[in-house]
Structure formats: structure tokens, C-alpha cells
Amino acid sequence: MTTAGAQMHALVERLYPLCRSITGDGVRATLDIVGEYVPLQVHEVPTGEQVLDWTVPQEWNIRDAYVADPAGRRVVDFAASSLHVLGYSVPVAATMPLSELRAHLHTLPDHPTWVPYRTSYYKPDWGFCLAQETLDALPDGDYEVRIDSTLADGHLTYAEHVVPGQVPDEVIVSCHVCHPSLANDNLAGIAVATFLARALAEQNPYYTYRFIYAPGTIGAITWLARNAHRIDQVKHGLVLACAGDRGQLTYKQSRRGDAEIDRVMRHVLAASERPHHVKEFMPYGYDERQYCSPGFNLGVGSLSRTPYADYPEYHTSADNPDFVSPEAMADTLAVCREAFAVLDRNRSYLNLSPYGEPQLGRRGLYEALGGRSDTQQAQLAMLWVLSLSDGAHSLLDVAERSGLPFDSVTTAADALGAAGLIKA
């Protein structure tokens, strides 16, 4: 187990009990904890603000909720798990027979010990989620039903963390913070994003990296609405979700399909020889569909392990901290770091001595390679970089066309640049 993997898993465990939704104090408490790891700029957007074709909804908060049986015992209790209450439930204080209550109870008959995750964001409703085996054991009689919640004008909360780069052009990394006690979807994504931000801050990245912690759908739409005037600065992006299960890595391409992030992720995953799957874009899933919507058409892909809804534990109480592993999160983090290392260095160069092959020996370039075990490969990398440095090919083009490792190509470019033979 890596140190980063263990620390990310500890963060997942710490965030797990909090009741999150698309608005409310649970989101703020989550961001407060993340803010202990990386500094955050928190934004509060008032109820009623128009954000593209949407309107920021009322804020939902909940203090307690339960169903008590005829003997007064709490048979469903929000204090035991935030999944037990239908998200955005309106306040309720009533007594009713089980026959009437059943219409407001949600279970998973195929998994009788699991509790489902259900919401009703934009339609006033109330309900409880419970295990099928609990429902089956309920006796007839009158039940006390209590949901101590508020639905009132307030704010939608999201946050950003920026790692400054050498240029103002941005890479966005987005994760959703709206789900309650679900470890893979998406506490693992939050943890990987946070530790990725910390790793990048220790470097001197070329791009500026903007990390967005926002509620799903409405949060990304709100961010886009508030940043539409500067959207041209966003050159690349990645959505992180379901980042901690033990399945193989899955990359979902941007709507464009040929965005630079798509090429980089395909290259890195293939070169690493990790088991993986690359999927075509579809306008369903996580917030990549907002960033890739036609009006913005950003080059934003999505990285996960097992995709949403493709594992039985998805949106159930079985998606708990035991379901995600430190090793899987560490592997997801490593792939992100490898991909951004390529993205950061993937620039086009111009050969300053394009007429014939320049004499490398008199510039000391061959001597600089003396004693290296990969001398022949390094020399070949220099020749490939010189050949394709026409302003129209990037270093990734060189690596893919030559079949050489990207690191060898970048090392060659550095040496050639220092010798005054190429320029970016």
C-alpha cells in the first residue's frame, strides 16, 4: 500500500458519514475538510440565479429523520446512514399505517441487505430508503414518520483550487461533491483530485491546473455560466469519478474524440500496459457532458475505473469504504500524473537547421549520451525530433510515429533545444 493510497483512503473514510446533496451544509462540511489538504476558493451562488438554461434551486438541509414502528423503535434512522432518506425530502411529521407508508419506501429486492440511494431534486417529495429484509420484517400497524429538513432560499456551493502554471492556459480537473455516503461515487474521485493537486503543486507545471469541486450537473452548469467569458483559456480537461474500485481503468473520450487529452490518455494507458478500456463519448454520465456541450465543446474526457452503473454496488450502501482500495486510488492517481506529464510537455517545435541533417557531434550531443545504456535509442529520438520539428507535429506525434517512449522524445527535445537546433 502506497502512502498516498493510504492517505486517500483515510480521506474517503473521513468524508463518508457526511450527508451531501446538490446544496446544503453537507457540501460545505465536505469542502471544509478538503480545504485542510489544499486551499480552496469557495463560491456561494444564491437560489434563483439563472445559470444557462437552469436556475439555482432552493437549499436543502436535514437534521434528523426516522421511521418508528408501533412499539416506538426506530426501524429506519437517518443517524445510522445518510442514504436512509430520499435526497431533498420535504419536511414530514405524521403517523400513518404501513400500507400508506409503503408508497414512500425504496428498497432493492435483488440485494435485500443493501440500502439504495434515491433523490428527488426538482420535484417536491419525501421518502425513505431501507434494506428489503428490514421492510419484510415490519409488522402492520401505525408508524411515526419524521423528516426534520428545510427547503428554503439559500445557496449552491462549489469550490476551486488553482495550481499556477508557466502559462495562463488551463487544464480543468472536475469532480462531483453531491453524493452522500457513497465511497466510489464519488469520494474516491474527490480524494484522487485532491492528491493530484498536491502533487502538481510540488512541480513547476507548464499549464495552470484548475480543480473544480462542484455538485453534479447543476454545479458544472453553474461553473460554466460563471466562467463563460474566460472559457477560451480552458485547453484541456478531465472529470474524475468512480476512481477507487478494483476494476480496470476506463477512459471516456471527449465529444470531439480527437482532443489532445483523448490522444494523451490513449497513449499513456497503452504505453503503461495497464488493463484498460477506452470508450466513445455519449451524452450521458458525469459532468463531461456539460463541459463538452456543443456551445462550449471543450476537450474534456472522463477517467474512472469501473464505469457508473456497471457494478452492482453503484448507488447503494454497498459502495462503502471497504469497496474502494488504497491501491486502486493510487493507481488512478499515478495514471493522472503520467497523463499530465505528457500533456505538459506536448508542444510543437521548429527545426532551426532544417536543410539537411545538422552535425550533432560537433555540438557535443553524441558525447552527452556517452555511457547510457539506451544510447542508440536516444540518438534515434534526436533524429526523429529533428525530422518532425516542422511546427505541425507535436512531441506526442513524434513518440507515436517513431514508437519511442515519450520520455526519450522529450529528453531529446531538451538536448536539441539547449544546443540551439530547435525552438518551441
Side-chain angles (χ1 to χ4, degrees), residues 47-278:
T47 296
E49 180 168 315
Q50 190 71 24
V51 287
L52 306 181
D53 196 44
W54 294 58
T55 303
V56 174
Q58 289 189 310
E59 182 177 326
W60 183 68
N61 286 294
I62 183 168
R63 287 159 292 279
D64 191 19
Y66 62 87
V67 174
D69 68 9
R73 296 171 303 165
R74 292 192 178 194
V75 291
V76 185
D77 192 352
F78 170 76
S81 171
S82 61
L83 295 179
H84 276 308
V85 175
L86 178 79
Y88 254 65
S89 281
V90 299
V92 177
T95 300
M96 63 187 68
L98 180 60
S99 58
E100 182 181 342
L101 177 61
R102 282 182 181 274
H104 296 276
L105 302 180
H106 305 272
T107 65
L108 294 166
D110 291 341
H111 297 282
T113 64
W114 296 357
V115 177
Y117 164 54
R118 299 286 186 269
T119 66
S120 184
Y121 293 142
Y122 302 107
K123 177 184 176 184
D125 199 357
W126 64 270
F128 290 87
C129 300
L130 66 160
Q132 181 67 44
E133 65 177 13
T134 301
L135 177 59
D136 292 342
L138 295 182
D140 287 333
D142 289 338
Y143 285 75
E144 181 188 359
V145 179
R146 171 79 169 169
I147 298 178
D148 182 11
S149 65
T150 55
L151 197 57
D153 287 353
H155 296 83
L156 177 148
T157 309
Y158 72 90
E160 298 174 290
H161 170 74
V162 176
V163 179
Q166 300 170 35
V167 298
D169 291 344
E170 289 185 359
V171 180
I172 60 171
V173 180
S174 181
C175 58
H176 60 275
V177 297
C178 52
H179 286 12
S181 297
L182 299 173
N184 199 39
D185 183 22
N186 187 37
L187 297 180
I190 294 170
V192 170
T194 301
F195 277 77
L196 177 59
R198 292 176 64 168
L200 288 169
E202 295 174 355
Q203 303 167 16
N204 180 29
Y206 177 73
Y207 288 111
T208 294
Y209 287 83
R210 183 177 299 273
F211 288 79
I212 302 169
Y213 299 84
T217 305
I218 184 65
I221 286 171
T222 299
W223 185 88
L224 286 164
R226 290 194 150 202
N227 290 272
H229 64 284
R230 50 176 298 280
I231 210 69
D232 288 346
Q233 280 184 242
V234 178
K235 305 303 180 183
H236 320 282
L238 189 65
V239 170
L240 289 172
C242 301
D245 68 87
R246 293 166 176 81
Q248 69 178 18
L249 286 156
T250 300
Y251 177 69
K252 177 183 172 183
Q253 298 189 121
S254 72
R255 173 181 174 269
R256 285 152 47 178
D258 62 350
E260 190 171 345
I261 188 68
D262 299 327
R263 293 190 59 210
V264 167
M265 290 302 305
R266 291 194 301 260
H267 174 82
V268 166
L269 288 168
S272 72
E273 298 185 348
R274 289 177 173 90
H276 69 277
H277 181 55
V278 176

